[in-house]
Amino acid sequence: MDANVVQLAREMLLLGISLLTLFNPPSAMVAFATLASPYPRDVQGRMARRTAAFYAATILLVTWAGRPLLGVLGLSLPALRVAGGFVLLLAAIPMV
């Protein structure tokens, strides 16, 4: 494989994990430190700034556009809460 493809794949994995841990900063720090350790300090700094920018953009987008988007989709907040409860129930059943 080309070295650029491998580097791009690692960066995309880092970005994906960063976005998955959006609301859990301790997990995000551990994942970032693990995946970014092979890179030089300046690259780590750029990756951290880029990830922080994606976090901020995602949070702002959800904050400003979340309810209007639900309205466009024909969903209400209580319906979304009920659906989330069912998802948690289905995830918990195998744990019992």
Side-chain angles (χ1 to χ4, degrees):
M1 269 187 162
D2 187 23
N4 291 333
V5 173
V6 172
Q7 182 179 0
L8 178 64
R10 287 185 62 95
E11 288 182 14
M12 293 303 292
L13 179 64
L14 179 63
L15 175 63
I17 289 175
S18 296
L19 291 176
L20 284 175
T21 58
L22 184 62
F23 295 110
N24 191 353
S27 294
M29 288 186 290
V30 170
F32 180 81
T34 302
L35 291 172
S37 62
Y39 295 101
R41 271 274 196 241
D42 63 324
V43 174
Q44 289 179 8
R46 279 185 300 180
M47 290 164 50
R49 284 188 295 277
R50 184 182 299 169
T51 301
F54 280 124
Y55 280 140
T58 302
I59 289 171
L60 290 174
L61 180 68
V62 169
T63 300
W64 290 333
R67 287 199 188 224
L69 180 62
L70 288 176
V72 168
L73 296 173
L75 297 172
S76 67
L77 199 53
L80 192 61
R81 287 180 180 153
V82 169
F86 280 127
V87 169
L88 287 175
L89 174 68
L90 292 175
I93 288 174
M95 294 180 197
V96 176

